[in-house]
Amino acid sequence: MGKLIDKKLFLILMGYVSAYKTVTILQELTLNYLENKVHKNIEWFSIIIQQLIPTAVTITPIVFIILVVTKIMINRNYKWLYIIIIHFTLSWVYGLLVTLSGVVYLTITEGGTIAFSKSEIISQLVYSSSRDFLGYVGFVSIIYSYYYINRTIKIEIQKAQLSEQLINIKMEALKSQLNPHFLFNTLNSISALIIEDQKKAQDMIAYLGDLLREVLIIKNENLIPIHQEISILNKYLDIMRIRFSDHLNIDIEIQEDIEKVLIPSMIIQPIIENSFKHGYSYNVENLKIKLSISKEDDKLLINITNNGEIIACTTSSGMGIKNIKDRLHTLYNKNFDFIFRNLKNNNGVETIMKIPLEY
């Protein structure tokens, strides 16, 4: 129940009720004074009590119920038609309860001597229906405005975080590709290939240029289609295939009809790069990497495995993996799964990501 009730919002609604009742009391006092030309303290006190007691007994729990029902409809994404029907029905229930509470209060305070006929109650209900309806509309308007403003603020914060993270990941990718170790190995490979195989040397230069260009000019979008992500990844893999030649085997399986599904930009390349960085070892000279992307119900499943060196306990908390988790959390809140672990037979490492299916 705590998740359905925002204490701050409840206090705002009760503040609205207090202001509404203050205006009503002032109206009653003014009319009483103009009609009777008297302003005895006892009569004023009676009018104030008559307005406040039904409010405390009836309106407060009703406001609580309205808040809970509205929050449930927001959480479950009800259609607008259902929302309108439910609120219209509740507005009449609200008016009826307020009117009846007033009748009961007057009957009790007058020692049971006042008897209201059915027609009088209906007349009172019709008379106050417009006022009560406006009061109910006020409650609902405040609730939706409150959640809309909070949601807008949250979205703006998420946009700012995503923009910053995207810039960081692009810069990290650039630094990764431009660091001396990478360039040294790539240029060394190109130098050797110029004598052994000029065609491969030319290809590697072209792949390196294409990769750096893609990283530089990629649009500032947090989500891109799978086919675009794979296109960038392949430019990186083309270089690695030439560098490691017969000691590298890469298998990519993409389920049909999902190429336009959106995934976080540059989310796969850091994991593949991690496989190269930690996969090769004295015991592992031939690295096999498999990437598969498929649909699983309403989720997109991304699975990356390699037969390289198993990870140490501290590796899973490295900055690269942490950055990926942070991006996924910012994009999807808790609606994602991320698993980074050794294979059960300790013959490699597996990374699993499950994210919502979006087009």
Side-chain angles (χ1 to χ4, degrees), residues 194-343:
I194 288 175
I195 299 174
E196 298 176 7
D197 192 329
Q198 293 185 10
K199 178 65 169 62
K200 284 187 176 180
Q202 292 174 344
D203 288 342
M204 182 173 279
I205 293 172
Y207 295 149
L208 179 60
D210 288 343
L211 174 61
L212 298 179
R213 188 180 302 109
E214 285 283 351
V215 175
L216 284 169
I217 68 175
I218 185 175
K219 293 180 180 179
N220 292 324
E221 296 177 354
N222 296 309
L223 297 173
I224 61 175
I226 288 177
H227 67 82
Q228 187 177 356
E229 175 79 358
I230 298 302
S231 175
I232 297 172
L233 177 65
N234 278 329
K235 288 178 173 58
Y236 171 76
L237 293 178
D238 286 337
I239 296 174
M240 306 311 285
R241 287 188 180 99
I242 295 176
R243 277 188 55 189
F244 293 101
S245 187
D246 296 334
H247 298 285
L248 175 64
N249 180 274
I250 301 173
D251 183 21
I252 298 178
E253 294 182 359
I254 310 295
Q255 182 179 323
E256 295 182 1
D257 75 359
I258 65 168
E259 290 189 346
K260 294 183 179 180
V261 172
L262 299 177
I263 62 173
S265 58
M266 301 179 70
I267 202 75
I268 298 176
Q269 190 265 351
I271 299 174
I272 298 291
E273 184 177 356
N274 197 63
S275 298
F276 289 115
K277 183 177 179 180
H278 299 285
Y280 283 107
S281 68
Y282 179 81
N283 297 320
V284 181
E285 295 181 357
N286 298 306
L287 188 65
K288 295 181 181 179
I289 300 174
K290 181 176 181 180
L291 164 66
S292 64
I293 306 178
S294 59
K295 288 191 294 187
E296 188 177 271
D297 299 325
D298 60 343
K299 299 284 187 179
L300 184 71
L301 174 63
I302 303 171
N303 186 283
I304 303 168
T305 59
N306 69 71
N307 67 330
E309 189 73 14
I310 62 175
I311 58 176
C313 295
T314 56
T315 304
S316 60
S317 60
M319 287 303 297
I321 298 301
K322 182 179 183 301
N323 286 341
I324 292 173
K325 288 182 178 179
D326 288 344
R327 290 188 69 209
L328 292 174
H329 186 271
T330 304
L331 278 167
Y332 306 113
N333 198 3
K334 295 181 180 180
N335 190 24
F336 75 93
D337 292 316
F338 184 91
I339 301 171
F340 182 60
R341 65 190 179 190
N342 294 318
L343 293 172

Side-chain angles (χ1 to χ4, degrees), residues 67-80:
L67 183 55
V68 171
V69 171
T70 304
K71 181 60 175 175
I72 290 174
M73 290 192 290
I74 291 174
N75 288 344
R76 297 183 180 179
N77 293 318
Y78 278 27
K79 295 181 179 179
W80 277 106

Side-chain angles (χ1 to χ4, degrees), residues 173-185:
L174 267 177
K175 287 192 299 182
S176 174
Q177 306 311 325
L178 289 173
N179 70 63
H181 179 72
F182 174 82
L183 285 178
F184 177 79
N185 287 334

